[in-house]
Amino acid sequence: MKDLVPPQSADWLAVETTLKNILASYGFEEIRFPIMEFTQVFSRSIGDVTDIVQKEMYTFDDRNGDSITLRPEGTASCVRAVLEHNLLHQRAQKLWYMGPMFRHERPQKGRYRQFHQLGVECLGLAGPDIDAELIFLTAKIWRAFNLNSLRLELNSLGTSDERAQYRNVLSSYLEDFRGELDDDSLIRLEKNPLRILDSKNPDLKNVIAGAPSLLENLGEESKDHFHKLQALLDSAGIAYVINPRLVRGLDYYSKTVFEWITDELGAQGTVCAGGRYDGLVEMLGGKATPAIGFAMGLERFIELVASGADSDQSNADIYLLGADERFSGVALNLADTLRDGLPGKRIQVHCGGGSMKSQFKKADRSGAKVALILGGQEIESGEVTIKPLRSDEKQISVKQSECVGALSALT
Ligand code: ATP
Ligand code: MG
């Protein structure tokens, strides 16, 4: 679990702000829900034989003896909240959330125990139009941040009936390789053999590569859905690779699944992953409702964004200083007037006294482009001296009441 400190915290804030604006431009609305739930919200929806439920959840009994879990992902909580507030009554929902998730994993680059996701969930829409729009949205995000190393992998998992059939085909294939399977996979072979396709064990690579493909076992409706999605992506020039081994980590997916992957982050290259989960709402007690969503790992995303740019080390645009004992009384008030008149500018008032020399040093270190000097003389005459710190321009003195105008011309 990581602390986030300046200047990196400014990178995060900037990224989050841009993401929120893009989401709003697609008509998505924010939903917030608690960072913990009754454990069964996750165990029922994510699936018993997933990594998350088997070994990654932070689960504890609270003081009432209720089993509580810190959220390892957002979809289950989001659906729980949507049902609790009856948001699906006569309308579909396009929702997003951003915040910390918790998984007890082996920490390494790009894999942490508290990490952050942007999650997007669309409930009540059967696709493939909305499937395509979600992928358009992710592609828009990459463009907004000038990222071009991400590639899209796409698959269809079909309906639950089709998966059940495929499960038999896959099981009989895997039975022949029983001796090569690891302990996890042997359990999965009994409970949910599809999950073996998602194994990270390199020794199973060949077994997995030779497995029969789910795509060949899709029914007409699922095939049609998948083809229409591809046509919509083609129409936007969004390139993709069909990966028949892509099954995703969670049990609740159906039909469309996708991942955006980069080679620029080392082993943890999946930045964004999502898919359709038509069965989940009913599983959590609602009416059968089609749904699709994705989650983007913000640590991986920001690492990718920041690798191309330097963090802004400055924390001020304008720095007010002065050694007169009346300084604070005048400066704190003038600064507030400036904040009203110069929206968006970062204005710092020197606090803590000290010599003019040491105050100028601090002004310089803040990165400010301009220092405003309020010495004894200025305070007497109701003026302020404007001193550019990053250019050779001369300093000027103006009436404090005309300071906004003079600064807008300058900064
Ligand atoms: P993986 O196969 O890498 O464990 P996952 O299938 O568990 O991924 P999801 O549950 O689909 O991942 O989460 C969506 C995204 O959230 C991932 O693609 C990744 O970017 C990010 N993510 C997941 N787990 C972590 C983690 N422990 N630390 C940082 N980011 C993570
Ligand atoms: Mg995982």
Side-chain angles (χ1 to χ4, degrees), residues 136-149:
F136 280 31
L137 165 64
T138 48
K140 168 84 83 200
I141 292 173
W142 316 144
R143 277 202 305 281
F145 288 92
N146 287 321
L147 300 178
N148 37 37
S149 73

PDB file of all heavy atoms in Angstrom, residues 136-149:
ATOM      1  N   PHE A 136     -15.044   2.548 -27.463  1.00  0.00           N
ATOM      2  CA  PHE A 136     -14.766   3.894 -28.009  1.00  0.00           C
ATOM      3  C   PHE A 136     -14.278   4.810 -26.880  1.00  0.00           C
ATOM      4  O   PHE A 136     -13.336   5.578 -27.040  1.00  0.00           O
ATOM      5  CB  PHE A 136     -16.034   4.534 -28.606  1.00  0.00           C
ATOM      6  CG  PHE A 136     -16.400   4.075 -29.993  1.00  0.00           C
ATOM      7  CD1 PHE A 136     -16.109   2.804 -30.448  1.00  0.00           C
ATOM      8  CD2 PHE A 136     -17.065   4.944 -30.852  1.00  0.00           C
ATOM      9  CE1 PHE A 136     -16.466   2.390 -31.728  1.00  0.00           C
ATOM     10  CE2 PHE A 136     -17.429   4.551 -32.125  1.00  0.00           C
ATOM     11  CZ  PHE A 136     -17.133   3.277 -32.568  1.00  0.00           C
ATOM     12  N   LEU A 137     -14.976   4.737 -25.753  1.00  0.00           N
ATOM     13  CA  LEU A 137     -14.633   5.593 -24.603  1.00  0.00           C
ATOM     14  C   LEU A 137     -13.198   5.344 -24.133  1.00  0.00           C
ATOM     15  O   LEU A 137     -12.435   6.291 -23.909  1.00  0.00           O
ATOM     16  CB  LEU A 137     -15.630   5.327 -23.466  1.00  0.00           C
ATOM     17  CG  LEU A 137     -15.280   5.820 -22.057  1.00  0.00           C
ATOM     18  CD1 LEU A 137     -15.197   7.342 -22.003  1.00  0.00           C
ATOM     19  CD2 LEU A 137     -16.317   5.345 -21.043  1.00  0.00           C
ATOM     20  N   THR A 138     -12.823   4.078 -24.026  1.00  0.00           N
ATOM     21  CA  THR A 138     -11.456   3.796 -23.588  1.00  0.00           C
ATOM     22  C   THR A 138     -10.453   4.300 -24.637  1.00  0.00           C
ATOM     23  O   THR A 138      -9.429   4.888 -24.281  1.00  0.00           O
ATOM     24  CB  THR A 138     -11.239   2.284 -23.338  1.00  0.00           C
ATOM     25  OG1 THR A 138     -11.740   1.547 -24.451  1.00  0.00           O
ATOM     26  CG2 THR A 138     -11.942   1.824 -22.082  1.00  0.00           C
ATOM     27  N   ALA A 139     -10.782   4.111 -25.902  1.00  0.00           N
ATOM     28  CA  ALA A 139      -9.870   4.580 -26.952  1.00  0.00           C
ATOM     29  C   ALA A 139      -9.737   6.111 -26.891  1.00  0.00           C
ATOM     30  O   ALA A 139      -8.650   6.658 -27.105  1.00  0.00           O
ATOM     31  CB  ALA A 139     -10.367   4.142 -28.330  1.00  0.00           C
ATOM     32  N   LYS A 140     -10.841   6.780 -26.584  1.00  0.00           N
ATOM     33  CA  LYS A 140     -10.811   8.247 -26.435  1.00  0.00           C
ATOM     34  C   LYS A 140      -9.858   8.642 -25.299  1.00  0.00           C
ATOM     35  O   LYS A 140      -9.099   9.602 -25.407  1.00  0.00           O
ATOM     36  CB  LYS A 140     -12.229   8.753 -26.155  1.00  0.00           C
ATOM     37  CG  LYS A 140     -12.342  10.181 -25.696  1.00  0.00           C
ATOM     38  CD  LYS A 140     -12.343  11.177 -26.837  1.00  0.00           C
ATOM     39  CE  LYS A 140     -13.731  11.329 -27.428  1.00  0.00           C
ATOM     40  NZ  LYS A 140     -13.741  11.872 -28.759  1.00  0.00           N
ATOM     41  N   ILE A 141      -9.903   7.874 -24.207  1.00  0.00           N
ATOM     42  CA  ILE A 141      -9.015   8.169 -23.069  1.00  0.00           C
ATOM     43  C   ILE A 141      -7.555   8.052 -23.498  1.00  0.00           C
ATOM     44  O   ILE A 141      -6.736   8.926 -23.233  1.00  0.00           O
ATOM     45  CB  ILE A 141      -9.322   7.234 -21.876  1.00  0.00           C
ATOM     46  CG1 ILE A 141     -10.710   7.558 -21.306  1.00  0.00           C
ATOM     47  CG2 ILE A 141      -8.250   7.363 -20.783  1.00  0.00           C
ATOM     48  CD1 ILE A 141     -11.207   6.588 -20.240  1.00  0.00           C
ATOM     49  N   TRP A 142      -7.208   6.992 -24.209  1.00  0.00           N
ATOM     50  CA  TRP A 142      -5.806   6.832 -24.635  1.00  0.00           C
ATOM     51  C   TRP A 142      -5.409   8.012 -25.519  1.00  0.00           C
ATOM     52  O   TRP A 142      -4.314   8.549 -25.392  1.00  0.00           O
ATOM     53  CB  TRP A 142      -5.551   5.519 -25.379  1.00  0.00           C
ATOM     54  CG  TRP A 142      -6.165   4.274 -24.810  1.00  0.00           C
ATOM     55  CD1 TRP A 142      -6.670   3.214 -25.522  1.00  0.00           C
ATOM     56  CD2 TRP A 142      -6.340   3.908 -23.422  1.00  0.00           C
ATOM     57  NE1 TRP A 142      -7.162   2.244 -24.670  1.00  0.00           N
ATOM     58  CE2 TRP A 142      -6.978   2.642 -23.388  1.00  0.00           C
ATOM     59  CE3 TRP A 142      -6.041   4.539 -22.222  1.00  0.00           C
ATOM     60  CZ2 TRP A 142      -7.306   1.992 -22.195  1.00  0.00           C
ATOM     61  CZ3 TRP A 142      -6.374   3.899 -21.030  1.00  0.00           C
ATOM     62  CH2 TRP A 142      -6.992   2.651 -21.025  1.00  0.00           C
ATOM     63  N   ARG A 143      -6.320   8.422 -26.421  1.00  0.00           N
ATOM     64  CA  ARG A 143      -5.993   9.552 -27.304  1.00  0.00           C
ATOM     65  C   ARG A 143      -5.787  10.833 -26.503  1.00  0.00           C
ATOM     66  O   ARG A 143      -4.873  11.605 -26.768  1.00  0.00           O
ATOM     67  CB  ARG A 143      -7.105   9.762 -28.336  1.00  0.00           C
ATOM     68  CG  ARG A 143      -7.007   8.867 -29.546  1.00  0.00           C
ATOM     69  CD  ARG A 143      -7.753   9.439 -30.750  1.00  0.00           C
ATOM     70  NE  ARG A 143      -9.138   9.746 -30.467  1.00  0.00           N
ATOM     71  CZ  ARG A 143     -10.128   8.846 -30.420  1.00  0.00           C
ATOM     72  NH1 ARG A 143      -9.872   7.567 -30.635  1.00  0.00           N
ATOM     73  NH2 ARG A 143     -11.370   9.208 -30.155  1.00  0.00           N
ATOM     74  N   ALA A 144      -6.657  11.041 -25.495  1.00  0.00           N
ATOM     75  CA  ALA A 144      -6.563  12.276 -24.705  1.00  0.00           C
ATOM     76  C   ALA A 144      -5.209  12.378 -24.009  1.00  0.00           C
ATOM     77  O   ALA A 144      -4.727  13.471 -23.727  1.00  0.00           O
ATOM     78  CB  ALA A 144      -7.692  12.331 -23.678  1.00  0.00           C
ATOM     79  N   PHE A 145      -4.589  11.223 -23.717  1.00  0.00           N
ATOM     80  CA  PHE A 145      -3.300  11.238 -23.023  1.00  0.00           C
ATOM     81  C   PHE A 145      -2.140  10.877 -23.966  1.00  0.00           C
ATOM     82  O   PHE A 145      -1.047  10.555 -23.499  1.00  0.00           O
ATOM     83  CB  PHE A 145      -3.336  10.281 -21.828  1.00  0.00           C
ATOM     84  CG  PHE A 145      -4.188  10.794 -20.690  1.00  0.00           C
ATOM     85  CD1 PHE A 145      -5.519  10.450 -20.600  1.00  0.00           C
ATOM     86  CD2 PHE A 145      -3.649  11.646 -19.739  1.00  0.00           C
ATOM     87  CE1 PHE A 145      -6.315  10.931 -19.562  1.00  0.00           C
ATOM     88  CE2 PHE A 145      -4.431  12.130 -18.694  1.00  0.00           C
ATOM     89  CZ  PHE A 145      -5.770  11.773 -18.609  1.00  0.00           C
ATOM     90  N   ASN A 146      -2.423  10.913 -25.269  1.00  0.00           N
ATOM     91  CA  ASN A 146      -1.383  10.617 -26.265  1.00  0.00           C
ATOM     92  C   ASN A 146      -0.723   9.262 -26.061  1.00  0.00           C
ATOM     93  O   ASN A 146       0.487   9.122 -26.252  1.00  0.00           O
ATOM     94  CB  ASN A 146      -0.276  11.674 -26.227  1.00  0.00           C
ATOM     95  CG  ASN A 146      -0.743  12.969 -26.820  1.00  0.00           C
ATOM     96  OD1 ASN A 146      -1.467  12.946 -27.828  1.00  0.00           O
ATOM     97  ND2 ASN A 146      -0.389  14.070 -26.196  1.00  0.00           N
ATOM     98  N   LEU A 147      -1.477   8.276 -25.651  1.00  0.00           N
ATOM     99  CA  LEU A 147      -0.910   6.940 -25.461  1.00  0.00           C
ATOM    100  C   LEU A 147      -1.166   6.129 -26.722  1.00  0.00           C
ATOM    101  O   LEU A 147      -2.300   6.048 -27.186  1.00  0.00           O
ATOM    102  CB  LEU A 147      -1.578   6.245 -24.265  1.00  0.00           C
ATOM    103  CG  LEU A 147      -1.440   6.947 -22.926  1.00  0.00           C
ATOM    104  CD1 LEU A 147      -2.180   6.184 -21.843  1.00  0.00           C
ATOM    105  CD2 LEU A 147       0.030   7.097 -22.553  1.00  0.00           C
ATOM    106  N   ASN A 148      -0.108   5.556 -27.279  1.00  0.00           N
ATOM    107  CA  ASN A 148      -0.378   4.714 -28.442  1.00  0.00           C
ATOM    108  C   ASN A 148       0.244   3.324 -28.341  1.00  0.00           C
ATOM    109  O   ASN A 148       0.322   2.606 -29.325  1.00  0.00           O
ATOM    110  CB  ASN A 148       0.033   5.421 -29.744  1.00  0.00           C
ATOM    111  CG  ASN A 148       1.287   6.225 -29.533  1.00  0.00           C
ATOM    112  OD1 ASN A 148       2.167   5.770 -28.782  1.00  0.00           O
ATOM    113  ND2 ASN A 148       1.390   7.392 -30.137  1.00  0.00           N
ATOM    114  N   SER A 149       0.611   2.930 -27.125  1.00  0.00           N
ATOM    115  CA  SER A 149       1.200   1.589 -26.994  1.00  0.00           C
ATOM    116  C   SER A 149       0.159   0.540 -26.602  1.00  0.00           C
ATOM    117  O   SER A 149       0.478  -0.636 -26.483  1.00  0.00           O
ATOM    118  CB  SER A 149       2.304   1.608 -25.931  1.00  0.00           C
ATOM    119  OG  SER A 149       1.739   1.712 -24.634  1.00  0.00           O
TER     120      SER A 149
END
